Amino acid sequence: MSAEIRKITVFVEETLSEMGQTISPPTRKAAAVAVIANPFAGRYVEDLTPLIEIGAELGGLLGRKCVEALGISPAQAESYGKAALVGEDGELEHAAALLHPSLGKPLREAVEKGAALVPSSKKRGGPGRPLDIPLGHKDAAYVRSHFDGMEVSLADAPRPAEIMVAVAVTDSGRPLARVGGLKTSEVEGKDGLR
């Protein structure tokens, strides 16, 4: 099954200063959001394989859109995350089917490597509801400077029988990060932790 996509929206956030301090180079985040038809809206279905397959399609597509929006090479991506907002006629398990079994591998290919787990969130809501996409370093979970998030919303989505699926990618960590932890220069990227 291929995703029935109504629209794709890409957001780019660039922070140039924080607390009176210049951020140079600016920290940048991109999120790509697909609004798709929920093939199981309004009914219980035991086998969610079609949503798992759609998740695999969207992982690569949305990841590539983020990398392109940032104007970086896949290797320059530093952190990533994923999230889904299910319309009222769907269930949270629909979001889980999209996000967990198969979305990660093509997203990792889009950002080159990605040894760490992809942080995720899921929720149910209607049009205009904000969706928080958690972020973490793509190769090492202990890089605290990359514990972050990006909020997105669409005025017309998700409709009751739709799902918003989002991927976020950054080219850096938080601006002015200073709470310790592993530095990006120390990342080994072997076990997903360090």
Side-chain angles (χ1 to χ4, degrees):
M1 171 181 273
S2 291
E4 186 181 323
I5 300 173
R6 178 165 67 87
K7 68 193 272 183
I8 295 176
T9 305
V10 178
F11 300 87
V12 175
E13 177 182 308
E14 188 171 65
T15 302
L16 299 127
S17 71
E18 185 78 24
M19 299 300 292
Q21 304 296 309
T22 299
I23 307 301
S24 181
T27 61
R28 298 182 312 140
K29 306 174 191 177
V33 183
V35 179
I36 66 168
N38 183 346
F40 304 129
R43 60 193 173 102
Y44 176 83
V45 176
E46 186 66 31
D47 183 0
L48 299 178
T49 300
L51 285 174
I52 294 169
E53 293 169 357
I54 289 170
E57 289 177 29
L58 294 177
L61 172 68
L62 299 177
R64 287 188 301 275
K65 286 196 173 289
C66 288
V67 169
E68 289 167 11
L70 292 171
I72 60 175
S73 71
Q76 291 174 300
E78 290 194 11
S79 62
Y80 54 20
K82 59 188 178 181
L85 176 57
V86 181
E88 65 186 53
D89 290 344
E91 60 176 299
L92 288 180
E93 198 64 8
H94 297 163
L98 286 162
L99 296 177
H100 296 303
S102 299
L103 186 144
K105 183 179 180 203
L107 172 57
R108 286 178 175 90
E109 290 169 2
V111 299
E112 198 171 291
K113 201 172 179 183
L117 289 173
V118 183
S120 68
S121 70
K122 58 196 82 49
K123 65 194 276 189
R124 185 182 302 158
R129 189 88 185 263
L131 178 59
D132 291 309
I133 310 164
L135 290 163
H137 193 280
K138 71 176 186 177
D139 291 319
Y142 292 161
V143 181
R144 289 187 203 144
S145 59
H146 288 58
F147 295 170
D148 201 357
M150 185 171 183
E151 182 180 288
V152 297
S153 65
L154 297 173
D156 66 344
R159 294 172 181 165
E162 291 181 333
I163 305 172
M164 280 175 51
V165 183
V167 164
V169 174
T170 77
D171 67 358
S172 51
R174 292 186 315 278
L176 307 177
R178 55 194 188 278
V179 294
L182 195 67
K183 292 179 174 55
T184 55
S185 61
E186 300 169 330
V187 169
E188 295 174 11
K190 293 179 184 172
D191 63 2
L193 300 175
R194 294 182 169 73

